[in-house]
């Protein structure tokens, strides 16, 4: 039986982030992809030109249709835009008893546009994080959720502890926004800290990296993999996708979803 993965997120007309990145990732990792669209963005590699939130009722109808017939093995949340949406979506996830929930707490796009209203951070903290199997904030998102400034690895560990206490089983604080040639994603399971290290790829083509990483974790969970293995495959997938990124558009180009499988084929031939 094929694993079924759901993304609850915003649409990116440029195809690099959001729903589009998630479905590409699901396809590449060989799970059946489904979507519930929370907002439509007019977006390209240069930035976000407009945001149109989908009426709450229509978002809930999408989730109901999926529950009535398809039922996901794993799901991820991305752009949820407002406090109302976060609370309603969290309520549905809970009442449908959907498990394997990956929360990517999307707040601000690369160019600076807000993808989450400022007053919605509290709902994320109180309603969504308690349902998370894995939460994958970048450093600014972890700072907003925990209200502590993050400058050192000790600060990151402290933020991870807070997010775990709020109810996330596994916390991954991503290091894309850090400095230096080495890049560390910090994992915390409530007991141990694990540092997932890689080298920093020098490229401006990093549009959709957060979405893609979380979607790859979701795909692996939908196939029944353990959370730690899913996070590690997620890292391999996004690293390959950034390393072989695509020169498309004149801003922050998208990642390359073919890279991961191409490398596997090469490694086995
Ligand atoms: N330049 C890079 N080289 C290698 N890995 C990277 C690079 N940038 C990001 N990553 C990896 O990509 C994943 C996503 O991290 P990042 O911190 O960029 O997420 P994000 O901030 O949510 O994404 P975005 O900035 O696109 O919104 C992480 O595993 C991170 O380590
Ligand atoms: C619709 C939508 N969702 C999310 C992001 C953030 O993207 P990233 O994966 O780069 O954090 C985005 N730019 N647009």
């Amino acid at each position: 039986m094929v694993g079924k993965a759901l993304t609850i997120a915003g649409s990116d007309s440029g195809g690099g982030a959001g729903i589009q990145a998630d479905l590409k990732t699901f396809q590449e990792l060989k799970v059946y992809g489904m979507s519930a669209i929370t907002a439509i963005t007019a977006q390209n590699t240069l930035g976000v030109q407009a945001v149109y939130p989908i009426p709450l009722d229509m978002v809930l109808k999408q989730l109901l249709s999926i529950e009535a017939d398809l039922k996901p093995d794993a799901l991820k949340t991305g752009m949820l835009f407002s406090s109302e949406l976060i609370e309603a979506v969290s309520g549905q996830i809970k009442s449908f008893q959907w498990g394997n929930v990956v929360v990517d707490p999307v707040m601000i796009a690369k160019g600076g546009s807000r993808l989450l209203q400022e007053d919605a951070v509290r709902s994320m903290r109180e309603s969504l994080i308690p349902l998370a199997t894995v939460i994958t904030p970048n450093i600014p998102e972890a700072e907003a959720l925990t209200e502590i400034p993050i400058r050192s690895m000790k600060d990151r560990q402290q933020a991870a502890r807070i997010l775990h206490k709020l109810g996330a089983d596994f916390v991954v604080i991503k290091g894309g926004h850090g400095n230096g040639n080495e890049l560390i994603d910090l994992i915390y399971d409530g007991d141990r800290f694990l540092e997932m290290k890689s080298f920093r790829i020098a490229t401006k083509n990093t549009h959709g990296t957060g979405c893609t990483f979380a979607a790859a974790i979701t795909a692996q969970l939908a196939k029944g993999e353990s959370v730690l293995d899913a996070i590690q495959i997620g890292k391999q997938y996004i690293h390959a996708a950034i390393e072989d990124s695509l020169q498309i558009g004149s801003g922050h180009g998208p990642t390359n979803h073919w890279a991961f499988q191409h490398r596997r084929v090469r490694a086995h031939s």
Side-chain angles (χ1 to χ4, degrees), residues 104 108 110 138 141 174-177 183 185 198-201 203 206-210 213 235 238-239 242:
D104 181 20
I108 295 176
K110 278 247 152 56
N138 59 30
E141 289 159 354
K174 298 171 292 189
H177 291 243
L183 191 153
D185 293 344
S198 64
F199 61 91
R200 185 181 297 277
I201 302 156
T203 177
T206 52
H207 178 54
T209 52
F213 176 58
K235 178 70 182 173
I238 188 58
H239 194 85
I242 298 171

Side-chain angles (χ1 to χ4, degrees), residues 17-40:
I19 290 280
Q20 287 79 0
D22 296 342
L23 290 176
K24 289 173 192 180
T25 308
F26 293 164
Q27 185 71 14
E28 277 300 304
L29 289 173
K30 300 186 170 44
V31 294
Y32 180 74
M34 302 174 282
S35 64
I37 301 183
T38 56
I40 297 174

Side-chain angles (χ1 to χ4, degrees), residues 76-195:
K76 80 165 274 261
T77 63
M79 174 184 181
L80 291 176
F81 193 64
S82 68
S83 174
E84 296 73 47
L85 253 173
I86 293 174
E87 278 167 30
V89 166
S90 305
Q92 295 288 62
I93 294 174
K94 212 168 158 181
S95 80
F96 298 152
Q97 297 182 311
W98 286 347
N100 290 326
V101 177
V102 179
V103 173
D104 181 20
V106 171
M107 292 183 189
I108 295 176
K110 278 247 152 56
S113 305
R114 283 211 80 91
L115 301 177
L116 181 76
Q117 292 171 342
E118 236 161 313
D119 65 355
V121 174
R122 185 171 163 185
S123 301
M124 196 164 263
R125 220 182 273 134
E126 292 176 1
S127 304
L128 190 57
I129 295 182
L131 307 178
T133 310
V134 189
I135 184 167
T136 60
N138 59 30
I139 291 173
E141 289 159 354
E143 290 182 319
L145 288 167
T146 61
E147 294 177 332
I148 61 167
I150 300 177
R151 294 195 190 89
S152 63
M153 191 48 80
K154 273 230 147 21
D155 298 335
R156 261 210 258 180
Q157 290 182 349
Q158 179 59 13
R161 279 196 197 93
I162 295 172
L163 293 170
H164 184 268
K165 217 168 180 182
L166 287 170
D169 298 335
F170 285 77
V171 179
V172 184
I173 303 189
K174 298 171 292 189
H177 291 243
N179 299 312
N181 291 332
E182 189 181 58
L183 191 153
I184 302 174
D185 293 344
L186 178 72
I187 306 174
Y188 182 57
D189 65 0
D191 182 29
R192 287 174 313 150
F193 289 103
L194 231 158
E195 292 185 0

Side-chain angles (χ1 to χ4, degrees), residues 46-93:
L46 297 169
V48 178
Q49 289 80 46
V51 174
Y52 174 79
I54 301 295
L56 183 61
D57 180 51
M58 188 56 203
V59 175
L60 296 183
K61 282 193 171 128
Q62 295 173 71
L63 299 178
L64 264 174
S65 294
I66 289 162
E67 167 62 9
D69 186 37
L70 296 156
K71 298 188 198 299
D73 297 303
L75 71 93
K76 80 165 274 261
T77 63
M79 174 184 181
L80 291 176
F81 193 64
S82 68
S83 174
E84 296 73 47
L85 253 173
I86 293 174
E87 278 167 30
V89 166
S90 305
Q92 295 288 62
I93 294 174

